[in-house]
């Protein structure tokens, strides 16, 4: 009888072993990819669906059904098929808003992300911490975080930075494709724009310190190489590149050079690979395999521990064949496995690297809990323009607001003279 019991037990173990082997057949790369994605959340660093909601619907979310939205890279069925565990939604407004209504428009983008989570609570869970991401994953929901894309959205105000943090913003991309009054953008490296600050100004360094104190991720996508290196030296916490690729594979100035990749490794940060064709192959066309080449290169130069996913879906006009929308990301995971990436390396890139970085940023914040907020404003001469008042700054003319009035009048006179010369010329 005992012999029969042992035989039966062995048979059950053998059948179970075979079933597990079949379920994770090492040669069935897609099955392995989906298995790993069920164990570790796919965290994507940058998605511009909120901008599509503005540009197509003027943020009238009541007129949109994300279950049926068909002309975007991202909708709810695609999110489910893509096994999207967490997403940093970009609160982006164009550089044209700088010195005008950038703060208002950014707040409206933050608002539409909150409302998206509220409208689809069974799909999205608003998240502000590494633990929130894990909690959402356990509930089979997509953790939804906010990243503000571009320092121009702050209007050079540390108070605005703090307010946005209170509204749930957890990363700030220091620039978009324009200089701000305190930091240079990537176009400086192309020679198409002049450097205004040789990287960061003194106020820019204040921004970095305040972001460390708050526990806000510093995003170096879109900045100049000088800024990359300055921030890597200054920041007490690891940094992210939310949607950038490898410069050695595609020499576009939006990508990250090898020496910076190594510094990201040394400081325990992360580079989340962008899928935009122009940053993948430096041409209009690209394939999934080309994107995997960036993953391989970053891994070779700086290790698998600094890699993540930063698709840039719905923010770019061209994406690679095989990665046509959010639903296709498992294809890339399967390709990495086919190329010999280990399960642990894939899980690191999927989400564990970002969770580690975010957790470390939170630890730095906690260690700075005794540091008071920085309330020293940017010098007025650095931001003076006809659309900005000077309330609170010391008056240099003896009458409140007269300096602003004079600068405005001077601008209007100049414009009038230019118009007159054009008409009479």
């Amino acid at each position: 009888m005992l012999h029969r019991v042992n035989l039966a037990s062995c048979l059950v173990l053998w059948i179970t072993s075979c079933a597990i082997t079949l379920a994770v057949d090492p040669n069935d790369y897609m099955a392995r990819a989906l298995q790993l994605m069920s164990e570790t959340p796919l965290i994507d660093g940058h998605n511009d669906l909120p901008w599509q909601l503005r540009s197509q619907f003027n943020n009238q979310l009541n007129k949109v059904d994300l279950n049926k939205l068909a002309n975007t890279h991202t909708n709810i069925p695609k999110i489910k098929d893509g096994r999207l565990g967490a997403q940093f939604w970009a609160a982006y407004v164009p550089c044209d808003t700088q010195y005008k209504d950038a703060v208002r428009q950014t707040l409206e983008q933050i608002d539409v992300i909150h409302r998206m989570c509220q409208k689809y609570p069974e799909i999205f869970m608003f998240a502000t911490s590494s633990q929130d991401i894990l909690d959402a994953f356990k509930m089979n929901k997509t953790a939804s975080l906010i990243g503000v894309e571009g320092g121009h959205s702050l209007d050079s105000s540390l108070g605005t930075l703090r307010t946005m943090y209170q509204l749930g913003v957890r990363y700030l991309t220091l620039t978009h494709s324009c200089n701000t009054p305190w930091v240079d953008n990537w176009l400086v490296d192309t020679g198409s724009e002049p450097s205004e600050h040789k990287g960061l100004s003194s106020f820019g360094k204040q921004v970095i310190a305040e972001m460390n104190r708050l526990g806000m991720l510093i995003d170096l996508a879109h900045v100049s190489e000088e800024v990359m290196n300055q921030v890597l030296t200054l920041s007490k916490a690891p940094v992210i590149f939310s949607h950038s690729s490898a410069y050695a594979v595609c020499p576009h100035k939006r990508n990250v050079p090898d020496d910076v990749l190594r510094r990201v490794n040394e400081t325990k940060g992360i580079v989340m690979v962008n899928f935009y064709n122009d940053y993948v192959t430096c041409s209009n066309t690209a394939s999934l395999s080309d994107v995997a080449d960036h993953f391989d290169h970053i891994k070779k130069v700086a290790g698998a521990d600094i890699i993540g996913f930063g698709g840039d879906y719905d923010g770019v006009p061209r994406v690679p064949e095989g990665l046509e929308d959010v639903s296709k990301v498992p294809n890339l995971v399967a390709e990495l496995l086919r190329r010999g990436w280990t399960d642990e390396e894939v899980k690191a890139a999927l989400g564990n690297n970002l969770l580690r970085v975010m957790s470390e940023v939170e630890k730095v914040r906690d260690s700075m809990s005794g540091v008071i907020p920085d309330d020293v404003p940017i010098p007025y001469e650095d931001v003076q323009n006809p659309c900005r008042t000077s309330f609170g700054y010391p008056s240099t003319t003896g009458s409140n607001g007269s300096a602003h009035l004079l600068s405005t009048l001077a601008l209007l006179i100049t414009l009038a003279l230019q118009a007159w010369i054009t008409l009479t010329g």
Side-chain angles (χ1 to χ4, degrees), residues 54-345:
R54 175 180 283 275
S55 60
Q56 294 188 41
F57 306 101
N58 202 18
N59 283 352
Q60 296 176 87
L61 195 58
N62 295 330
K63 295 183 178 181
V64 184
D65 184 351
L66 290 184
N67 289 291
K68 299 178 181 178
L69 187 63
N71 62 343
T72 55
H73 295 141
T74 313
N75 61 27
I76 287 174
K78 291 171 184 176
I79 285 171
K80 290 180 176 179
D81 289 344
R83 296 347 191 240
L84 184 61
Q87 180 66 67
F88 281 90
W89 303 106
Y92 159 77
V93 299
C95 283
D96 290 345
T97 63
Q98 183 162 220
Y99 309 122
K100 300 171 187 173
D101 55 354
V103 174
R104 173 184 63 81
Q105 291 212 32
T106 303
L107 290 175
E108 290 172 353
Q109 294 311 103
I110 292 170
D111 168 69
V112 82
I113 295 167
H114 278 281
R115 287 190 290 122
M116 186 175 73
C117 295
Q118 293 162 2
K119 184 174 180 179
Y120 303 97
E122 72 286 0
I123 304 298
F124 303 117
M125 181 185 124
F126 190 73
T128 59
S129 68
S130 54
Q131 187 59 51
D132 284 348
I133 295 173
L134 294 173
D135 291 345
F137 188 62
K138 290 177 183 176
M139 291 186 283
N140 199 30
K141 295 182 180 182
T142 298
S144 294
L145 303 98
I146 301 176
V148 166
E149 187 180 16
H152 61 284
S153 287
L154 301 184
D155 197 19
S156 302
S157 165
L158 294 174
T160 301
L161 175 71
R162 287 187 285 269
T163 300
M164 288 183 176
Y165 182 86
Q166 293 299 323
L167 292 173
V169 174
R170 286 301 177 266
Y171 80 59
L172 172 70
T173 315
L174 298 185
T175 70
H176 194 252
S177 298
C178 54
N179 293 341
T180 76
W182 46 274
V183 61
D184 290 337
N185 83 101
W186 68 276
L187 288 171
V188 168
D189 292 337
T190 70
S192 62
E193 288 192 7
S195 171
E196 297 180 28
H197 313 291
K198 295 182 180 179
L200 288 165
S201 73
S202 294
F203 183 78
K205 294 172 183 177
Q206 289 178 244
V207 173
I208 300 306
E210 190 66 358
M211 290 178 72
N212 283 167
R213 190 193 68 82
L214 286 169
M216 187 181 288
L217 295 159
I218 300 168
D219 179 20
L220 299 182
H222 284 280
V223 302
S224 70
E225 190 173 343
E226 182 71 21
V227 174
M228 295 178 194
N229 281 298
Q230 288 177 347
V231 174
L232 285 165
T233 297
L234 289 169
S235 179
K236 296 180 179 180
V239 304
I240 70 169
F241 288 80
S242 68
H243 56 304
S244 296
S245 298
Y247 184 84
V249 179
C250 166
H252 193 291
K253 293 299 183 181
R254 267 284 281 106
N255 289 335
V256 188
D258 282 358
D259 62 315
V260 176
L261 290 175
R262 295 186 187 97
R263 291 200 67 191
V264 173
N265 170 274
E266 293 166 2
T267 53
K268 310 300 182 185
I270 186 171
V271 175
M272 308 178 88
V273 175
N274 193 311
F275 298 172
Y276 181 32
N277 290 357
D278 296 43
Y279 304 159
V280 173
T281 61
C282 292
S283 70
N284 289 340
T285 60
S287 68
L288 178 152
S289 180
D290 294 321
V291 177
D293 290 344
H294 284 265
F295 278 78
D296 279 345
H297 179 81
I298 296 171
K299 176 185 165 187
K300 178 181 177 182
V301 170
D305 288 341
I306 75 157
I307 306 174
F309 291 72
D312 208 0
Y313 282 118
D314 282 312
V316 295
R318 296 177 290 277
V319 289
E321 182 180 353
L323 288 169
E324 290 83 1
D325 57 52
V326 171
S327 72
K328 308 297 184 182
V329 176
N331 296 338
L332 177 56
V333 179
E335 173 64 12
L336 297 178
L337 291 168
R338 189 191 68 78
R339 292 182 176 212
W341 283 52
T342 68
D343 288 1
E344 289 307 308
E345 288 172 338

Side-chain angles (χ1 to χ4, degrees), residues 319-379:
V319 289
E321 182 180 353
L323 288 169
E324 290 83 1
D325 57 52
V326 171
S327 72
K328 308 297 184 182
V329 176
N331 296 338
L332 177 56
V333 179
E335 173 64 12
L336 297 178
L337 291 168
R338 189 191 68 78
R339 292 182 176 212
W341 283 52
T342 68
D343 288 1
E344 289 307 308
E345 288 172 338
V346 168
K347 290 167 80 170
L350 281 172
N352 286 343
N353 288 340
L354 190 282
L355 287 169
R356 169 183 51 77
V357 169
M358 195 166 186
S359 178
E360 185 59 33
V361 169
E362 292 162 353
K363 289 177 183 176
V364 170
R365 172 201 65 198
D366 294 344
S367 73
M368 298 178 69
S369 60
V371 178
I372 61 173
D374 183 351
D375 60 3
V376 178
I378 191 169

